């Protein structure tokens, strides 16, 4: 006679909130939920790991490209430095037939001249005979007139509207063209 005692008052109200007999919860949905969460987590970790590995490979490739481009930039900067050295500029200017300029004179804004200008050093044929020039530079060189004694004199400075004869135009089969003055070094 194991009968439960009857509850009164507040205890009876609380007892109604709890089920009279314990029920067994179904275990299958819970097990499926846990398996799905674990499987989804593992798949997520696999995808994340693959993305990180791919990013790492891309970063290695970009670092290799950056290193090679940096090496190329440094080599080009060394070339620029060697070409812009004063002795290299002087040698290249002589190859192009340029001569050192004389003393400059300066004009003030009011029109007065400061300093005494001097002419550039004359260029003689002996200076230019051993120099190898590109074809454009040869076409712009002035002809050297000979005197009666057979000695060469310094050429007169060409004017802005002077037209220099083209030696290639005298070749047989060449078509005559008008020579245009060019700026040395271009």
């Amino acid at each position: 006679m194991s009968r439960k005692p009857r509850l009164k008052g507040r205890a009876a109200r609380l007892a109604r909130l709890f089920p009279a007999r314990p029920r067994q919860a179904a275990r299958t949905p819970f097990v499926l939920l846990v398996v799905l969460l674990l499987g989804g987590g593992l798949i997520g970790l696999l995808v994340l790991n693959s993305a990180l590995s791919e990013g790492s490979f891309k970063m290695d490739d970009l670092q290799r490209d950056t290193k090679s481009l940096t090496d190329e930039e440094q080599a080009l900067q060394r070339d620029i430095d060697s070409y812009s050295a004063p002795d290299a500029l002087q040698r290249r200017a002589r190859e192009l037939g340029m001569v050192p300029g004389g003393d400059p004179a300066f004009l003030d804004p009011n029109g007065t001249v400061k300093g005494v200008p001097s002419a550039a050093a004359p260029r003689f044929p002996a200076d230019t005979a051993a120099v190898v020039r590109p074809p454009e530079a040869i076409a712009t060189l002035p002809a050297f007139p000979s005197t009666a004694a057979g000695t060469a004199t310094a050429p007169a400075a060409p004017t802005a509207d002077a037209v220099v004869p083209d030696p290639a135009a005298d070749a047989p089969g060449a078509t005559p063209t008008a020579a245009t003055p060019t700026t040395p070094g271009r």
Side-chain angles (χ1 to χ4, degrees):
M1 321 217 93
S2 69
R3 196 165 186 249
K4 286 188 182 178
R6 225 162 142 80
L7 300 174
K8 297 184 184 176
R10 183 173 181 185
R13 281 181 283 165
L14 287 175
R16 279 186 261 164
L17 294 176
F18 293 111
R21 60 187 156 144
R23 295 193 321 195
Q24 286 282 11
R27 291 186 184 205
T28 307
F30 178 72
V31 171
L32 284 176
L33 176 67
V34 169
V35 168
L36 286 175
L37 287 175
L38 288 176
L42 289 175
I43 290 173
L45 285 175
L46 179 65
V47 169
L48 181 64
N49 191 18
S50 299
L52 290 175
S53 296
E54 182 181 352
S56 175
F57 286 129
K58 283 183 181 179
M59 188 174 73
D60 288 342
D61 290 342
L62 291 175
Q63 285 176 343
R64 192 176 317 114
D65 291 346
T66 301
K67 185 182 180 322
S68 67
L69 290 174
T70 302
D71 292 345
E72 183 180 347
E73 178 190 17
Q74 290 174 353
L76 290 173
Q77 187 62 45
R78 280 192 303 269
D79 290 346
I80 289 172
D81 292 342
S82 68
Y83 288 137
S84 63
D87 58 336
L89 288 174
Q90 182 181 15
R91 180 178 40 79
R92 183 71 178 135
R94 289 208 187 274
E95 287 175 359
L96 292 174
M98 300 172 92
V99 295
D103 295 329
F106 300 96
L107 292 177
D108 281 336
N110 61 4
T112 60
V113 178
K114 284 193 174 190
V116 178
S118 65
R123 183 176 44 162
F124 295 102
D127 292 341
T128 61
V131 177
V132 177
R133 291 188 182 79
E136 310 86 40
I138 293 174
T140 60
L141 289 177
F144 295 104
S146 298
T147 59
T151 60
T153 60
T159 60
D161 59 348
V163 176
V164 179
D166 187 7
D170 296 336
T175 59
T177 58
T180 57
T182 59
T183 306
R186 288 193 181 176

